[in-house]
């Protein structure tokens, strides 16, 4: 019926095909030739391979036998499964969990080195282990880091040091070994890697380059803006994470240091016990010289038991970050943990020299420590430069005198409304006294008007003069007599102070260097900012000043600064408390004592027991810095306060000078603060004010103070009611005061 | 003999002794691909013609039948190439190189003092290949030789770069051009020698040529190789072997130790070059990291806590599990897996990253963990209905039904996705056999299960078969054809089940114990078009 010439229809996939058994269709064979109508499907193999001998043989075998025959199998290279040491190699057992295994998308990334030690390394390790304990993983981590840090060029030994943070001997051995091994290594790296493509396309045909990027894939349909935004968000997130990392890292270090401190303290106690130093005499003996010249840069680096204290200060300091100004944040890079941690006895000194404190230099300091966290990349925290002076000074013209932040100090934002002269003029007496005081200079012995002292760059002390209605009286004030002004507020202004203290004015070159030097040696510049205690009422002003007088006298009469009696201290504190209350009543929002950058740098607030009234209180009581010579052996308690103003000749000067001429005798109110017991003495803020006739209003009255004071520790105990919140110290490197070349330690204190 | 052995160079053909599965000696014709000298003797890398490349091996001179040595003939190969592809003994690259070298020869001849059997032709490929082998650790050597020439004669080079191509034009039909032409996505390699293509090539190439002589490093390989065209970016297999060169034609790893097993690789794999000289390359059984020594592996195992492939287990029945690994999320593992797989898959390409692929790793559990048995990869989004990109059962597990299990699993996934699929082409010989076997069994299973209703003959459409099995229609048809089931009878197509087919099927199914249980599959397909598949 069917003709062979007949052409079959195309096979229709949608058409049902009836299924027959061959036996049911005896006449099927007649129709076989039609099969060619169905197009032959390709096998899907490469033509060349399709004809391969073994395949053909296998195919035909299958067609003939309908099952595989052993000998017709396509031969393949043999595989063995008899690794005898398998069980020793893969140790332990793995229990199959009941649930299907599910991998968390963000699996924990174990920070384990990619580098795997070989037998050669093991030899070295064994050798090293004779001298020290070095775990294989530790070694691998070192190799891993070295390997990953080097590209075409090997890392240098210096880089390796930063990278590895191991002790020198170990580092050197491993580094040398690594360099040798690396040189003998055939491959590009000791950790074998798949060859990467090169951008220039030169590797397009390199058979060993694999897993190239699909470059065209970047054509994205997505909204570009969206991409950018999310990219930025990711960047921000990353930055924040890295900051968190840094902070955690620092915390880690801090805690480590704490632990070490604890151990050291314990050790000290044990030692004391052994040598039966129950009274602490020996300890004092030993620690005395240390206390004489404490050079502190990084709080962690404090050489002795102070460390603990300082650290806690940092903590509080840090905890206070949020509500403080970005300024404080800035201080962080100074926590130079890494460096100071190891060689804290020597390093800080160098550190200080190297740190001009310019923000742009700061990243260097902690680079090794935090570089991996991208700590500085955050653009939002640009260091607010001190608006103090010379806005045109861009490139660190201050050299070593550049302002630098102190660890443990809190810096407050400038209060703009108080920092400009017009406002000052508007302020009443009350506010005037809050930041200013009557000042006299001792070297050109003159009485200035009401001034505000602040520390300029390089430790120069600047006096900002303010005009007031007292100016007229002040103008006639005799600096020698220096006593009660028209209002007789300060009856007892210390003559000593006058003689002892020196302001060095750059505008008075007649001062001989030796004189300055001697002045400096003996000098204590005491400064106090008197406050009108009760709301503008004279009587209360007097009260305040009287109190101040008392305390102001004694240090002077002692001949030693800071020598005040217990009584005085008590009364003073009472006064302080009172003043606090008054202040609160007034609800004065006085957050800072002065135009911030000017006054504050020398002031260190370390908030041991930071009270809420601190700010306003501080506004009332001047915090002052104590400058003391470390070589003042005879004054172990050497607590001196220098309150010195100098006019830096900035833009404000003109205004001030203009307002200054009407200078009258002012009321310098010295104030001394209690100092702690022991030779780790308290700082007393004694501020004898020197009146100064501002005879030269136009003079660039940048006054430099070379003042040296002996070292101070801290107020060791503060009563709860005490107005003294804390005293922190800061040091100025001796070298920094090029003027006198003497070491100068400034201890600032906050009084509330 | 000895005097002749010096003349056995790359490209020569001669019978080489090999032992077949039945342990009989045979002397198949083989081509010498490479010669290397190790202290004391020479070794020859031979490719047995009409045998798969995986049987290529290094042989000692005593296995060569030097009496029947045929030197490579210049033109002889061209017709064979065109008509009967046979093996790929002389790679197309050689043609190009040859003609290039003819140009270079005047310049380079002095430096190559080698006596050549047929000096007139192919001086170059010979010495070139020698260099390659001599410098196994430094495979860039051939190019560097050329580089030096190139840098000496940059201007000349530029001009003859073009010239050589002109010469090639007539050869277009000889298969040479295909290596010059960037592969066409989705197209099977053909001798598509259109001049249009050539023009395109020149357009692409000419700007390069003008600058290229300054970059000899790039030039050397590229110019000899056509243009440095990047292969297509979809798929996982190369059908275009234009990038084949002598390096990739030769196995580079001697032995791989993986868990309990020692595997002899079948093909080239781009493991780091410094590791290719090792007698044994050690792999971590679970993360597949490559290590240079047992000690390193030991150390690695103290740090590697994997006991299963680092992905989600989407299937478990008995000891068999499947893990799904995203090539984008778990790059290291995916790459390591690909490197291992490349050892056994000739056509697999590792040119591009693993991002657009998912990897399904089949494991067998024992107390030590989940041991990899095989895997297949799959494009997250395939434009060509591919449901498998590469598929491999590791040699120790071959011929035990695991391959079919892998295939079955891949179709189970397609069933869940509700679409039909087909493996990416080209198939290998083993791939073809496995797939045919799977398709046959699957289709026969369906056909034999069909019961007649109402006394009528059971019937089924090809589309229905395809839908039930997720096997792509074309594969169904080809299987029906292969099994000779489809017949034209009385004006219509019918399916006929021959007795021997039925019997064979029943026997095979009795032996097929390993089956995928769809109930154990926990798989939700993802719409990758809405995700970043790359």
């Amino acid at each position: 019926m069917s003709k062979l010439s007949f052409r079959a229809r195309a096979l229709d996939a949608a058409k049902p095909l009836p299924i027959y058994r061959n036996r049911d269709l005896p006449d099927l064979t007649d129709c076989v030739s039609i099969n060619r109508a169905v197009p032959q499907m390709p096998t899907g193999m490469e033509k060349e391979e399709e004809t391969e001998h073994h395949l053909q043989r296998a195919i035909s075998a299958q067609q003939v036998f309908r099952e595989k025959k052993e000998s017709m199998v396509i031969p393949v290279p043999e595989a063995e499964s008899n690794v005898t040491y398998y069980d020793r190699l893969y140790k332990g057992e793995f229990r199959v969990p009941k649930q299907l295994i599910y991998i968390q998308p963000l699996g924990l990334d174990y920070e384990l080195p990619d580098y795997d030690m070989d037998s050669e390394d093991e030899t070295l390790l064994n050798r090293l282990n004779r001298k020290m304990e070095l775990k294989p993983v530790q070694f691998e981590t070192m190799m891993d880091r070295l390997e990953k840090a080097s590209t075409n060029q090997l890392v240098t030994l210096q880089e390796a040091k930063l990278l590895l943070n191991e002790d020198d001997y170990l580092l050197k051995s491993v580094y040398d070994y690594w360099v040798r091994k690396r040189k003998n290594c055939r491959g590009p790296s000791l950790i074998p890697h798949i060859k990467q493509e090169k951008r220039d396309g030169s590797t397009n045909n390199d058979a060993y380059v694999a897993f190239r990027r699909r470059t065209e894939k970047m054509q994205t349909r997505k909204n570009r803006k969206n991409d950018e935004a999310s990219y930025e968000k990711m960047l921000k997130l990353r930055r924040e994470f890295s900051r968190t990392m840094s902070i955690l890292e620092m915390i880690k270090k801090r805690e480590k240091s704490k632990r070490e401190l604890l151990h050291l303290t314990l050790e000290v106690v044990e030692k004391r016990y052994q040598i039966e130093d129950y009274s602490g005499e020996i300890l004092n003996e030993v620690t005395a010289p240390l206390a004489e010249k404490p050079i502190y840069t990084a709080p962690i680096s404090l050489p002795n038991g102070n460390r603990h204290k300082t650290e806690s200060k940092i903590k509080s300091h840090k905890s206070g970050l949020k509500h403080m100004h970005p300024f404080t944040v800035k201080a962080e890079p100074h926590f130079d943990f890494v460096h100071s941690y190891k060689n804290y006895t020597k390093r800080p000194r160098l550190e200080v020299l190297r740190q001009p404190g310019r923000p742009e230099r700061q990243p260097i300091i902690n680079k090794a420590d935090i570089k991996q966290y991208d700590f500085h990349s955050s653009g939002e925290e640009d260091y607010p430069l001190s608006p103090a002076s010379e806005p045109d000074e861009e490139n660190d013209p201050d050299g070593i005198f550049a302002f630098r932040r102190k660890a443990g100090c809190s810096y407050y934002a400038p209060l703009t409304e108080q920092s400009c002269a017009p406002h000052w003029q508007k302020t009443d007496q009350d506010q005037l006294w809050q930041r200013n005081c009557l000042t006299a200079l001792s070297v050109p012995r003159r009485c200035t008007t009401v001034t505000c002292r602040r520390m300029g760059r390089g430790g120069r002390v600047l006096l900002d003069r303010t005009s007031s209605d007292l100016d007229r009286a002040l103008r006639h004030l005799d600096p020698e007599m220096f006593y009660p002004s028209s209002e007789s507020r300060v009856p007892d202004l210390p003559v000593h102070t006058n003689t002892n203290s020196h302001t060095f004015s750059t505008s008075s070159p007649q001062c001989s260097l030796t004189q300055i030097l001697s002045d400096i040696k003996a000098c204590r510049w005491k400064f106090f900012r008197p406050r009108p205690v009760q709301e503008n009422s004279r009587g209360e002003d007097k009260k305040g000043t009287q109190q101040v007088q008392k305390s102001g006298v004694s240090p002077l009469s002692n001949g030693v600064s800071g020598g005040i009696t217990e009584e005085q201290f008590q009364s003073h504190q009472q006064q302080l408390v009172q003043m606090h209350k008054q202040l609160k009543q007034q609800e004065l929002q006085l957050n800072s004592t002065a135009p911030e950058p000017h006054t504050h740098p020398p002031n260190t607030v370390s908030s041991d027991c930071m009270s809420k009234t601190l700010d306003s209180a501080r506004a009332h009581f001047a915090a002052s810095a104590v400058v003391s010579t470390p070589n003042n052996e005879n004054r172990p308690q050497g607590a001196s306060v220098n309150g010195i103003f100098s006019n830096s000749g900035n833009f404000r000067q003109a205004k001030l000078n203009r307002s200054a001429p009407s200078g009258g005798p002012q009321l310098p109110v010295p104030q001394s603060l209690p100092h702690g017991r022991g030779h780790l003495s308290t700082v007393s803020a004694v501020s004898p004010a020197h009146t100064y006739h501002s005879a030269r209003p136009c003079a660039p009255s940048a006054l430099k103070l070379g003042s040296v004071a002996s070292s101070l520790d801290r107020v060791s105990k503060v009563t709860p009611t005490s107005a003294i919140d804390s005293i922190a110290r800061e040091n100025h490197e001796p070298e920094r005061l090029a003027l006198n070349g003497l070491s100068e330690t400034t201890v600032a204190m906050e009084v509330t | 003999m000895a005097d002749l052995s010096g003349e056995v160079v790359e490209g020569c053909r001669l019978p080489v002794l090999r032992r077949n599965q039945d342990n009989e000696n045979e002397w198949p014709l083989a081509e010498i691909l490479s010669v290397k000298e190790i202290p004391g003797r020479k070794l020859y890398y031979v490719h047995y013609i009409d045998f798969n490349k995986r049987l290529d091996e290094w042989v000692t001179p005593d296995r060569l039948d030097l009496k029947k040595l045929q030197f490579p003939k210049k033109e002889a190969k061209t017709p064979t190439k065109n008509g009967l592809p046979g093996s790929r003994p002389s790679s197309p690259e050689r043609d190009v190189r040859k003609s290039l070298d003819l140009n270079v020869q005047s310049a380079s001849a002095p430096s190559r003092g080698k006596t050549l059997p047929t000096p007139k032709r192919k001086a170059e490929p010979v010495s070139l290949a020698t260099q390659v082998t001599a410098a196994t650790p430094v495979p860039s050597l051939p190019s560097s030789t050329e580089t030096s020439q190139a840098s000496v004669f940059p201007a000349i080079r530029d001009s003859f770069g073009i010239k050589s191509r002109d010469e090639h034009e007539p050869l277009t039909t000889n298969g040479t051009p295909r290596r010059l032409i960037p592969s066409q996505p989705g197209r099977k390699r053909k001798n598509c020698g259109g001049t249009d293509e050539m023009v395109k090539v020149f357009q692409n190439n000419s700007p390069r040529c003008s600058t290229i002589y300054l970059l000899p490093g790039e030039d050397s390989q590229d110019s000899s190789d056509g243009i440095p065209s990047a292969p297509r970016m979809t798929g996982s297999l190369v059908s275009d072997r234009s990038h084949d060169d002598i390096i990739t034609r030769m196995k580079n790893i001697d032995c791989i130790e993986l868990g309990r097993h020692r595997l002899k690789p079948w093909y080239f794999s781009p493991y780091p070059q410094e590791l290719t000289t090792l007698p044994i390359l050690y792999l971590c059984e679970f993360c597949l990291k490559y290590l240079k020594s047992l000690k390193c592996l030991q150390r690695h195992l103290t740090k590697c806590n994997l006991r299963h492939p680092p992905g989600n287990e989407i299937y478990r029945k008995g000891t068999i599990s499947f893990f799904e690994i995203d090539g984008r999320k778990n790059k290291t593992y995916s790459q390591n897996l690909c490197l291992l797989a490349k050892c056994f898959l000739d056509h697999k390409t590792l040119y591009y990253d693993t991002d657009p692929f998912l990897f399904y790793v089949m494991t067998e559990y024992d107390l030590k963990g989940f041991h990899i048995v095989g895997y297949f990869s799959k494009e997250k989004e395939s434009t060509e209905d591919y449901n498998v990109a590469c598929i491999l059962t590791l040699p120790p597990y071959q011929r035990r039904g695991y391959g079919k299990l892998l295939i079955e699993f891949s179709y189970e996934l397609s069933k869940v996705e509700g679409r039909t699929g087909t493996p990416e082409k080209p198939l290998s010989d083993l791939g073809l056999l496995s797939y045919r076997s799977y398709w046959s069994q699957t289709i026969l299973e369906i056909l034999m299960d069909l019961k007649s209703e109402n006394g009528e003959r059971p019937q089924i459409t090809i589309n229905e078969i395809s839908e039930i099995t997720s096997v792509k229609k074309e594969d169904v048809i080809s299987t029906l054809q292969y099994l000779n089931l489809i017949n034209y009878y009385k004006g219509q197509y019918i399916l006929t089940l021959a007795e021997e087919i039925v019997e064979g099927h029943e026997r095979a199914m009795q032996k097929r114990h390993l089956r995928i249980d769809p109930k154990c599959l926990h798989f939700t397909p993802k719409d990758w078009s809405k995700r970043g598949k790359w």
Side-chain angles (χ1 to χ4, degrees), chain A residues 198-203, chain B residues 143-144 146-155 157-158 205 207-224 228:
Chain A
K198 289 195 186 111
R199 286 255 166 233
D200 58 6
S202 61
T203 52
Chain B
S143 44
S144 63
E146 259 202 12
T147 301
S148 57
Q149 295 162 7
S151 48
V152 174
F153 306 101
R157 182 166 190 80
D158 190 20
N205 210 21
R208 292 194 94 103
C209 274
S210 55
T211 52
I212 218 161
Y213 58 86
L214 293 176
L215 300 162
E218 182 183 18
D219 185 16
S220 55
Q221 281 270 333
D222 291 346
S223 66
S224 64

Side-chain angles (χ1 to χ4, degrees), chain B residues 266 344-345 362 373-375 391-404 406 434:
Chain B
W266 300 355
F344 307 101
L345 297 172
M362 180 166 76
V373 168
Y375 91 105
I391 184 164
L392 169 74
T393 309
L394 286 174
Y397 296 93
Q398 281 170 1
R399 304 190 51 239
R400 286 156 60 178
Y402 290 111
K404 213 163 278 168
L406 280 169
S434 301

